[in-house]
Amino acid sequence: MAVTEQDLREQVVDVMRKMGERGLNKGTSGNCSVRFGEGLLVTPSGIVPEALTAESIVYIDKDGEVPDGSYAPSSEWQMHKGILDRRPDVRAVVHCHSHYATVLACAGRPIPSVHYMVAVSGGPTIEIAPYHMFGSAELAKGVTETLDGRLACLMANHGQIALGPSLARALSIAEQVEEQAAIYWGALAIGGPRLLDGEQMAAIAGAFRGYGQAKRV
């Protein structure tokens, strides 16, 4: 069954509410987007998740234009558009200020290979994009470049961002990034982690490619 624009708008609202319910966001922080046609649908600026409706979600076309009568899009819309323009393998972007990921981002600590689930980010580590003012073109560029080939990264003195083939998957990755941030933070508190090596992480990446359910033909 084809996914309609209305379906996607409702998914955006649902993901924003779930981020709040699951402790990944507070208030109006964070935002998310999903590819639609040649453009994208993104959360509006400054509206708490409880007040969001499908109609308040903003469409941005391929040229970065918003239809008349729309809400103002998230201040981070350039970041979302830059990622989706550069990554045809990605359909959705979730950005949040989850607690432990933000602590590490503010301390300038990327997440190393502390646990095999770090590989859900698409690499053996979870790197940090350089700090730039929120909503700026420089931030969009820095985050997009840091994410090159990966599905998640931290954002210096800001938060985290996760990508996926769907909003549900991007949200799942964001949750796992927060879990790995908490694990690393805890390991640092008791003397530091014992890290998995490059060979071990490469084997994990290979195993992840074939993980999950597949239909038999």
Side-chain angles (χ1 to χ4, degrees):
M1 185 187 302
V3 178
T4 67
E5 179 179 356
Q6 183 68 17
D7 291 334
L8 292 174
R9 287 175 175 272
E10 291 173 359
Q11 287 176 27
V12 171
V13 173
D14 181 59
V15 165
M16 287 301 297
R17 290 179 179 169
K18 284 178 177 174
M19 282 200 284
E21 292 164 1
R22 299 176 186 181
L24 298 177
N25 257 343
K26 293 185 183 297
T28 61
S29 66
N31 34 71
C32 67
S33 67
V34 64
R35 192 186 300 277
F36 177 67
E38 294 187 323
L40 67 147
L41 294 165
V42 67
T43 42
S45 177
I47 300 179
V48 295
E50 297 77 16
L52 286 175
T53 65
E55 291 69 34
S56 62
I57 305 307
V58 184
Y59 176 70
I60 298 177
D61 70 17
K62 61 183 177 60
D63 299 316
E65 299 296 325
V66 174
D68 292 340
S70 296
Y71 284 86
S74 165
S75 61
E76 310 284 15
W77 72 266
Q78 292 183 87
M79 179 175 70
H80 288 263
K81 187 175 187 302
I83 291 167
L84 292 173
D85 285 349
R86 182 162 172 165
R87 294 286 298 273
D89 59 312
V90 166
R91 295 196 59 80
V93 179
V94 166
H95 163 54
C96 60
H97 300 172
S98 58
H99 181 80
Y100 289 100
T102 302
V103 167
L104 295 180
C106 289
R109 285 186 176 271
I111 303 174
S113 52
V114 63
H115 187 281
Y116 73 87
M117 284 300 289
V118 165
V120 78
S121 70
T125 60
I126 301 174
E127 297 300 310
I128 302 180
Y131 176 78
H132 293 287
M133 180 70 177
F134 71 89
S136 67
E138 292 80 10
L139 177 64
K141 182 174 184 291
V143 170
T144 301
E145 290 177 350
T146 303
L147 281 168
D148 188 29
R150 298 185 181 221
L151 296 174
C153 73
L154 306 183
M155 299 163 63
N157 304 91
H158 191 147
Q160 62 140 306
I161 191 163
L163 322 179
S166 66
L167 280 163
R169 181 58 181 156
L171 176 61
S172 176
I173 291 172
E175 288 185 285
Q176 191 56 240
V177 169
E178 176 64 0
E179 178 67 10
Q180 294 309 306
I183 289 169
Y184 183 41
W185 181 89
L188 289 171
I190 58 172
R194 294 184 178 182
L195 301 180
L196 297 170
D197 63 30
E199 184 176 340
Q200 289 168 323
M201 290 303 289
I204 291 160
F208 272 15
R209 284 191 287 271
Y211 180 78
Q213 298 294 321
K215 290 184 178 179
R216 295 182 181 273
V217 294

